[in-house]
Amino acid sequence: MRPGPLNLITDVTGLRVGNARDDALRSGVTVLLGDGPLACGVNVMGGAPGTRETELLAPDKLVPGIDALVLSGGSAFGLAACDGVSEGLRAMGRGFAVGPVRVPIVPGAIVFDLLNGGDKDWQANPYPTLGRTALGTAATHFALGSEGAGTGAMTHRWKGGLGSASARLDCGITVGALVVVNALGSVTVGQSRQFWAAPWEIDGEFGGLGLSGPYDGHHEPPMSKRLGEATTIAIIATDASLDKAALTRLATAAQDGMARAIVPSHTPYDGDLVFAVSTGAQPLPDPVLTPFQLGHAAASALARAIARGVHAARPQPGDLQPCWSGT
């Protein structure tokens, strides 16, 4: 299992990612777009999620696929980013056909970044515009760190950010992860710079500090953020042909990657969520073994993506937290 050529979620052929950010606002939006509708599932493990249209993703619901996924800052205000993306998709002629009408299906999730020092005294909600802008920039290459929905993200200790990673299995299936790291927990061990995700690092992709230890996993972690200020939201993508039920299971397995990379994770005050999407381009080489391997690959890719997002964060004037790369 090795990274794809970009080590991004867009190593899954047919996917693009767009980012839009507002540095004064210290927030932004990230959009995942496919060449066509994507089968999608979701798993929510945090106690304080903020979502839109996730009920449609249950295996027993009518809509077979989604047109885009939105990750946004802005807490509940950021859900309006989906409106801007829907408008842009409608202009493209994309959407679920209902007679002559096309209705874009755009689930989304948000992180809380309203108290990160940015100017939040807007007269009109900025997120619909940011959403449409992000859709318009969607491409296979995109920046990590202080970009898109990761622009104003923070963690227990370090500035957070937008992360991504990919893995190509020996059977030819590709898995990718995209994540906004805004966690209540810590991505590094104690007071060190060593990432909890270090066991899954490939080729020094987030600093190459390697492993040390033993680790003190017995202390009671402090809360450095106030209630409701956290959440890590992610997307797992694959070209393996999976239906909504299998993707729901894949999203569930991928949550292990969050637990590997953030300590603690899935707290009552995080809204930790994972979407899982499939382009359906590759039949399963083995209907029993391949789903087993995909779950592990998804968790590992997500752990790596979390560390990469923090590793890539850039300093800006007025930051409330240091950047990992700036120490």
Side-chain angles (χ1 to χ4, degrees):
M1 190 168 63
R2 300 291 302 170
L6 301 178
N7 201 12
L8 299 172
I9 195 170
T10 47
D11 283 323
V12 177
T13 302
L15 297 184
R16 290 166 281 154
V17 170
N19 286 324
R21 75 173 195 264
D22 183 324
D23 288 336
L25 185 67
R26 285 184 182 268
S27 190
V29 174
T30 297
V31 175
L32 178 81
L33 181 68
D35 289 343
L38 302 168
C40 186
V42 68
N43 176 272
V44 182
M45 289 192 71
T51 62
R52 167 170 158 159
E53 292 193 332
T54 51
E55 286 298 316
L56 289 174
L57 307 181
D60 63 333
K61 298 302 185 287
L62 173 66
V63 175
I66 55 100
D67 295 291
L69 286 173
V70 173
L71 307 179
S72 180
S75 189
F77 300 104
L79 293 174
C82 297
D83 294 336
V85 175
S86 293
E87 290 175 358
L89 289 168
R90 184 173 182 271
M92 298 176 190
R94 296 279 299 267
F96 182 67
V98 184
V101 179
R102 291 204 169 261
V103 181
I105 306 300
V106 186
I110 50 85
V111 299
F112 186 100
D113 59 4
L114 297 180
L115 301 179
N116 62 5
D119 180 7
K120 306 304 193 295
D121 189 25
W122 60 71
Q123 299 302 308
N125 189 328
Y127 288 96
T129 299
L130 286 168
R132 185 148 187 178
T133 300
L135 176 68
T137 67
T140 55
H141 291 72
F142 60 96
L144 302 182
S146 305
E147 295 288 345
T151 298
M154 300 191 296
T155 71
H156 168 78
R157 180 181 175 194
W158 306 106
K159 191 172 179 180
L162 181 73
S164 190
S166 69
R168 187 157 291 168
L169 281 65
D170 290 343
C171 65
I173 296 293
T174 300
V175 176
L178 180 69
V179 62
V180 180
V181 190
N182 188 62
L184 185 65
S186 178
V187 297
T188 54
V189 180
Q191 297 303 308
S192 76
R193 298 176 68 240
Q194 185 185 37
F195 285 105
W196 285 111
W200 292 274
E201 185 174 16
I202 301 176
D203 298 334
E205 62 192 330
F206 42 84
L209 297 186
L211 299 172
S212 63
Y215 300 130
D216 178 11
H218 307 293
H219 70 284
E220 298 180 11
M223 287 182 60
S224 62
K225 302 172 81 172
R226 285 171 284 187
L227 304 189
E229 290 185 19
T231 285
T232 297
I233 51 178
I235 302 170
I236 295 295
T238 182
D239 50 8
S241 182
L242 300 176
D243 60 17
K244 291 168 69 175
L247 288 165
T248 301
R249 173 48 49 187
L250 184 64
T252 303
Q255 291 276 13
D256 286 353
M258 206 174 289
R260 294 172 186 176
I262 302 168
V263 178
S265 59
H266 307 141
T267 77
Y269 313 114
D270 287 283
D272 296 344
L273 170 151
V274 178
F275 293 108
V277 298
S278 168
T279 63
Q282 299 266 24
L284 293 181
D286 185 320
V288 175
L289 179 61
T290 304
F292 169 78
Q293 295 172 327
L294 284 172
H296 172 67
S300 299
L302 181 52
R304 293 165 48 221
I306 288 169
R308 293 191 78 207
V310 173
H311 178 261
R314 303 185 306 273
Q316 291 180 307
D319 280 349
L320 301 182
Q321 291 183 313
C323 287
W324 189 97
S325 59
T327 60

